[in-house]
Amino acid sequence: MGTLSADSTAERAKAVSDVLAEIETVPGSIEELPVLTLRGQAESLWSRDVAGETFAAVRANPHNDLVRLFTWDQGALSFFNDAQLVKGAASGDSLELDISWAQPAYTENNNAFVISVDPVFFRIYGPMILFNAQQIHETDLVLLLCTDEDTARELVDIAEEYLGVLSKFNNQPKPSTVSYYAVDTPTWVTEMHTYYACARFLALSSLLEHYDSVYCIDADLLMRNDPAAFMKKTANLMLSVPRNEGSIGIVPWRRYMAGNLVANKSLLNTDLLEKLNQYISVGLKTPFAWTLDQNALSYVAEQTTPSGIEPLNAYARPTLVSKFMTRWERNYKKLNTGPAST
């Protein structure tokens, strides 16, 4: 797309999308997919309404399953405009989290780390997550276990047993700051893994009733620095996530990244959480709605001027993405293919 970037003017972006619109392809053909996907990205810089119709054509293409095979373009299947959100919400399906069982810590801490996981990811990354919790006393850890009540109880029993052994091993007390919540998945959700990633955002309204600020993170992030300074510096941010600029930011589902999100209680005084939940609710009914969380954040960022989302880029995050985590997942899945691993 030439020199187009996330900060290009609407006029420049429209000029690029107009050129792409002139490319002739057969409706419903495989060749149509990349043209529509690129065109929608350019259109998203100047009109969500127009881009939404283009991405609807991507979803309607009989070969749209090819889009999900390419990581970069997967978000084309979960980009919606306002009219599509209204239509999708008309079904009446609700995404009020059904927390069937909970073991809360009830501490006096006013902030928390929040991680949502399915049973597999909890078994893979739980030991690392809980070890970090043992070292951090001034911040709670909220674990949203996306599973049924019985499975959640079993996982928590194992986790508590692990913490007991860890305490004996390193001569430090078991953490008293860990809260576990079992979160059921609505029957109408079509993309389970997307739901697991989005559950922490759907829980924000409830969490911010209790905490002054929360830091939502991916389960597989390494803690590279003491998070205390970061938590203090970001406590007054209403809503903040990392923002990609330049050419990467052209892609709406890459514009804002969902692995690190900071929010504080003042967010409850806005309608941004309602808009975020509505977007996620509609997207979870859509097949292959991957990067839905990032598309939802991009949508929310457009709802206020200036943006309701302050870029987190200026704050040194204590977490780190590690490619080594791929091996952790591979090793677990190689050895656990039965019912206990699901």
Side-chain angles (χ1 to χ4, degrees):
M1 294 195 209
T3 58
L4 200 62
S5 73
D7 298 315
S8 292
T9 64
E11 291 76 13
R12 171 62 183 159
K14 189 174 188 307
V16 172
S17 59
D18 286 346
V19 171
L20 290 169
E22 293 177 359
I23 300 176
E24 294 185 6
T25 56
V26 177
S29 66
I30 293 177
E31 293 77 15
E32 180 190 44
L33 284 173
V35 175
L36 289 176
T37 302
L38 288 174
R39 194 176 105 199
Q41 292 172 27
E43 290 169 346
S44 73
L45 293 172
W46 60 273
S47 173
R48 175 168 288 271
D49 287 342
V50 174
E53 295 306 314
T54 298
F55 287 124
V58 172
R59 291 191 293 275
N61 186 291
H63 307 285
N64 66 24
D65 60 326
L66 295 177
V67 174
R68 67 185 174 89
L69 301 179
F70 300 97
T71 303
W72 194 259
D73 293 331
Q74 287 173 355
L77 302 177
S78 59
F79 182 101
F80 310 109
N81 58 28
D82 285 324
Q84 292 159 351
L85 291 174
V86 171
K87 181 179 180 180
S91 68
D93 291 325
S94 172
L95 259 182
E96 293 292 330
L97 285 195
D98 181 10
I99 299 177
S100 61
W101 173 80
Q103 183 174 309
Y106 291 127
T107 74
E108 295 182 357
N109 291 329
N110 60 10
N111 54 27
F113 297 102
V114 180
I115 298 175
S116 57
V117 288
D118 68 332
V120 169
F121 262 47
F122 186 60
R123 288 180 178 273
I124 295 171
Y125 296 114
M128 176 180 68
I129 294 168
L130 293 170
F131 174 78
N132 288 339
Q134 186 196 40
Q135 307 304 313
I136 303 169
H137 313 126
E138 70 282 359
T139 301
D140 282 6
L141 169 65
V142 175
L143 288 168
L144 303 172
L145 306 177
C146 299
T147 186
D148 61 87
E149 180 178 328
D150 290 339
T151 303
R153 287 181 182 274
E154 176 187 351
L155 289 170
V156 171
D157 287 343
I158 296 171
E160 288 296 302
E161 183 180 353
Y162 161 77
L163 286 173
V165 173
L166 176 64
S167 176
K168 292 179 181 179
F169 186 83
N170 64 10
N171 290 324
Q172 297 182 51
K174 288 177 60 176
S176 59
T177 57
V178 183
S179 294
Y180 305 93
Y181 295 88
V183 181
D184 279 342
T185 305
T187 56
W188 50 265
V189 170
T190 61
E191 286 300 330
M192 297 302 182
H193 288 87
T194 302
Y195 177 73
Y196 304 151
C198 291
R200 54 191 162 175
F201 302 144
L202 299 172
L204 280 174
S205 57
S206 297
L207 292 171
L208 291 175
E209 292 286 352
H210 180 71
Y211 293 106
D212 292 340
S213 64
V214 295
Y215 178 30
C216 300
I217 56 177
D218 284 342
D220 59 349
L221 292 179
L222 291 175
M223 194 69 71
R224 60 174 177 174
N225 293 320
D226 188 331
F230 173 83
M231 298 296 286
K232 184 177 181 179
K233 290 179 180 178
T234 60
N236 293 325
L237 297 178
M238 183 181 73
L239 181 61
S240 182
V241 293
R243 182 178 189 267
N244 282 324
E245 301 175 345
S247 59
I248 295 178
I250 297 173
V251 186
W253 49 91
R254 299 286 173 182
R255 210 165 289 162
Y256 293 91
M257 307 308 291
N260 295 262
L261 179 146
V262 172
N264 74 15
K265 195 179 290 290
S266 65
L267 190 58
L268 296 178
N269 299 323
T270 75
D271 64 352
L272 295 181
L273 282 179
E274 181 181 350
K275 292 179 182 296
L276 182 68
N277 287 7
Q278 180 192 34
Y279 197 104
I280 291 173
S281 177
V282 171
L284 284 174
K285 304 170 203 171
T286 305
F288 311 118
W290 297 325
T291 67
L292 172 64
D293 47 0
Q294 293 173 185
N295 258 327
L297 289 171
S298 182
Y299 174 74
V300 168
E302 298 171 13
Q303 301 306 301
T304 57
T305 305
S307 170
I309 294 182
E310 179 174 342
L312 197 56
N313 306 49
Y315 303 88
R317 299 190 293 278
T319 56
L320 175 71
V321 175
S322 171
K323 293 182 179 179
F324 186 43
M325 299 296 97
T326 301
R327 184 165 182 172
W328 285 37
E329 295 180 25
R330 185 171 65 245
N331 286 343
Y332 178 88
K333 293 174 181 178
K334 181 179 180 180
L335 297 173
N336 297 272
T337 57
S341 67
T342 59

